[in-house]
Amino acid sequence: SRCKYLFYGVLRNKLRITEALAGIIKNKPKKLLLSILLVTGYELLQSSNHKNEKIIHYSVEQSKKLLSPREVKFINAVLRKLPDALNIQSPEDSLATYFSHPQWMTDHWCKLYGLEATRSLLEWNQEIPPIYLYSRHLTQDLKESLTEIRTNSYQITDNNIYNTEIQDLLKKGKAYIKDISTLHSVEALDPKPGETVLDLCASPGGKTFDCIQRMDSKGLLVAVDLANYRIKRLKENLAPLKNKALTLEILESDVLALEDSTFTEKKLPLDYDAVLLDAPCSNTGVMQRRPDIRWRLKPSDLKNCAQLQLKLLKEASKRVKPDGRIVYSTCSIDPEENEQLVEAFLKSEAGKSFILKIGKTYYPWLDKHDGAGVFLLKQNH
């Protein structure tokens, strides 16, 4: 837990710490030395100034086990200057640097949402995300010991996870660790007991779990994902959910490669009452939970994601019954992957028989949970 805290903390503040270090040292140090400076820099950011001396002393003492005496001396000299270099930084000088986001990303959001909203989003992404437990099966005593955020969703701590009752529910498939944002798409789809449901891009299975809960474990649910590590994880997570009243099938396939024979070979229907497409996306709505995304994402990724998403939505729409419905969802806050994507689908040949019933993008700084796009489309025959 401590390692994760420090590692993610550096990822969230890497640009700010690196910029502060750049004003102190001329040449980029080797990786181990730089790692020590980054981790210590994050600890300095998180502490009050009166703890700086203790943090620096501890870091220098630990460095003696890893570095040469000359390098330790260098570490000590740099760390003595680092607190002042961090303290003089200001968001007014550079939002991107102060909140450690790529400049292109900050500029992109400022253009979309304005300066104040972008600052609120960057501040949100810098916070340590809460942990939420979703379950309908908690005992009353356990419910009272947790904070209920919304119906059947509870905020828990790292220590709560190891509660024997919670562990037992997780193993039996009666509880799931998930952010509140993930509930919106299944709420919009509203699968009912006895219906046929197709869950595309289903791994790791959190939304499949929600569908089964709403179906009261009755009906047919087909979950589809790629035949790689994702399908293995999906099978493991869904294994506890199987029962006599629910037909649960897992198909190993690329959504774009689905054919009628994929279904008929397993004696499954070709079209469904409800289809859920939780599409792969840029993940711009979940950077608080996944700080690595900001450093991996490139400007071209938004366009590339949208192109793939449109292909997936067109393919998914083929599996909707004449009076059925489909929910397209993402964990992106970018209109190119949400509103604009759905608009393009509705104007296409594949989307001409559908109407938009629900369309909403959830923004972290406004909705106080991960960002997401949720769009309910109804077949209009």
Side-chain angles (χ1 to χ4, degrees):
S1 178
R2 179 66 178 169
C3 283
K4 181 180 178 181
Y5 168 79
L6 292 172
F7 180 70
Y8 274 26
V10 170
L11 284 183
R12 285 193 185 91
N13 296 275
K14 185 166 74 76
L15 183 57
R16 183 177 175 186
I17 302 169
T18 302
E19 286 292 310
L21 288 170
I24 303 172
I25 54 182
K26 294 181 180 179
N27 300 317
K28 186 177 180 180
K30 66 181 185 180
K31 290 181 179 179
L32 178 57
L33 199 153
L34 179 59
S35 296
I36 294 170
L37 292 174
L38 289 171
V39 171
T40 309
Y42 172 60
E43 290 184 295
L44 291 170
L45 278 177
Q46 291 300 106
S47 72
S48 53
N49 288 334
H50 74 275
K51 291 185 178 180
N52 287 350
E53 188 65 33
K54 184 178 180 181
I55 291 170
I56 293 170
H57 175 76
Y58 178 82
S59 181
V60 170
E61 289 302 306
Q62 294 301 308
S63 298
K64 292 177 180 178
K65 304 174 184 178
L66 302 168
L67 303 173
S68 68
R70 183 180 178 182
E71 289 171 321
V72 172
K73 186 177 180 181
F74 175 79
I75 285 272
N76 183 61
V78 172
L79 291 182
R80 298 293 169 186
K81 298 177 182 179
L82 187 54
D84 288 339
L86 292 170
N87 287 336
I88 63 173
Q89 292 174 325
S90 166
E92 281 66 39
D93 295 331
S94 170
L95 280 180
T97 297
Y98 191 81
F99 295 112
S100 282
H101 285 68
Q103 187 66 55
W104 75 264
M105 189 177 292
T106 305
D107 292 342
H108 173 69
W109 285 335
C110 281
K111 185 177 179 180
L112 285 175
Y113 311 120
L115 182 63
E116 289 307 311
T118 298
R119 177 167 177 160
S120 296
L121 173 58
L122 299 181
E123 289 176 339
W124 169 271
N125 287 345
Q126 293 304 85
E127 295 175 9
I128 297 173
I131 304 172
Y132 297 106
L133 177 78
Y134 176 76
S135 179
R136 300 182 178 187
H137 304 281
L138 303 188
T139 63
Q140 190 60 37
D141 286 346
L142 184 56
K143 285 182 180 180
E144 291 175 359
S145 70
L146 302 175
T147 303
E148 188 169 21
I149 304 300
R150 54 180 294 167
T151 304
N152 300 319
S153 291
Y154 305 85
Q155 185 170 338
I156 64 175
T157 65
D158 283 329
N159 291 333
N160 289 143
I161 294 177
Y162 301 103
N163 176 287
T164 53
E165 183 181 337
I166 290 177
Q167 282 291 310
D168 186 54
L169 289 171
L170 290 170
K171 290 174 183 177
K172 291 179 178 178
K174 293 183 177 181
Y176 212 92
I177 301 293
K178 58 197 296 140
D179 187 76
I180 294 199
S181 66
T182 64
L183 302 173
H184 296 311
S185 57
V186 178
E187 286 177 349
L189 189 67
D190 193 22
K192 295 178 174 59
E195 284 192 318
T196 57
V197 178
L198 179 63
D199 185 2
L200 302 170
C201 305
S203 185
K207 293 180 175 66
T208 316
F209 171 87
D210 290 345
C211 286
I212 292 172
Q213 297 294 307
R214 285 183 169 266
M215 296 166 70
D216 198 24
S217 298
K218 297 172 184 175
L220 167 67
L221 192 146
V222 179
V224 181
D225 217 311
L226 297 170
N228 53 24
Y229 71 94
R230 293 181 62 83
I231 204 75
K232 179 182 178 182
R233 189 177 178 194
L234 181 63
K235 288 179 177 178
E236 290 173 352
N237 288 340
L238 297 186
L241 303 180
K242 294 184 177 181
N243 63 69
K244 293 180 181 179
L246 174 74
T247 302
L248 177 58
E249 289 285 347
I250 299 175
L251 298 182
E252 300 181 20
S253 176
D254 184 335
V255 172
L256 298 179
L258 284 173
E259 298 178 353
D260 287 356
S261 59
T262 311
F263 296 91
T264 55
E265 286 174 1
K266 294 207 171 189
K267 298 181 179 179
L268 296 170
L270 297 178
D271 51 18
Y272 294 78
D273 297 309
V275 176
L276 176 62
L277 174 63
D278 186 39
C281 67
S282 63
N283 299 295
T284 51
V286 294
M287 289 188 183
Q288 184 192 78
R289 203 165 297 281
R290 296 179 56 191
D292 58 299
I293 292 168
R294 67 184 76 170
W295 307 120
R296 291 192 290 104
L297 204 62
K298 303 184 294 293
S300 59
D301 290 337
L302 299 177
K303 182 179 180 180
N304 293 338
C305 282
Q307 290 174 343
L308 173 60
Q309 289 156 352
L310 185 56
K311 291 178 182 178
L312 290 169
L313 183 52
K314 288 179 178 179
E315 193 63 35
S317 67
K318 298 176 184 178
R319 300 298 166 187
V320 182
K321 284 184 177 181
D323 58 346
R325 61 204 187 275
I326 180 171
V327 162
Y328 166 77
S329 66
T330 71
C331 52
S332 168
I333 57 172
D334 197 282
E336 194 169 357
E337 300 175 82
N338 291 325
E339 295 87 354
Q340 293 174 17
L341 187 289
V342 172
E343 184 179 350
F345 168 73
L346 292 172
K347 290 179 179 178
S348 71
E349 184 66 23
K352 67 180 183 180
S353 65
F354 288 85
I355 57 174
L356 179 64
K357 303 292 286 185
I358 295 174
K360 181 172 175 59
T361 298
Y362 296 88
Y363 298 105
W365 69 94
L366 297 176
D367 297 290
K368 305 306 176 186
H369 57 59
D370 286 350
V374 177
F375 302 86
L376 172 64
L377 301 158
K378 183 82 165 53
Q379 187 91 275
N380 187 31
H381 279 289

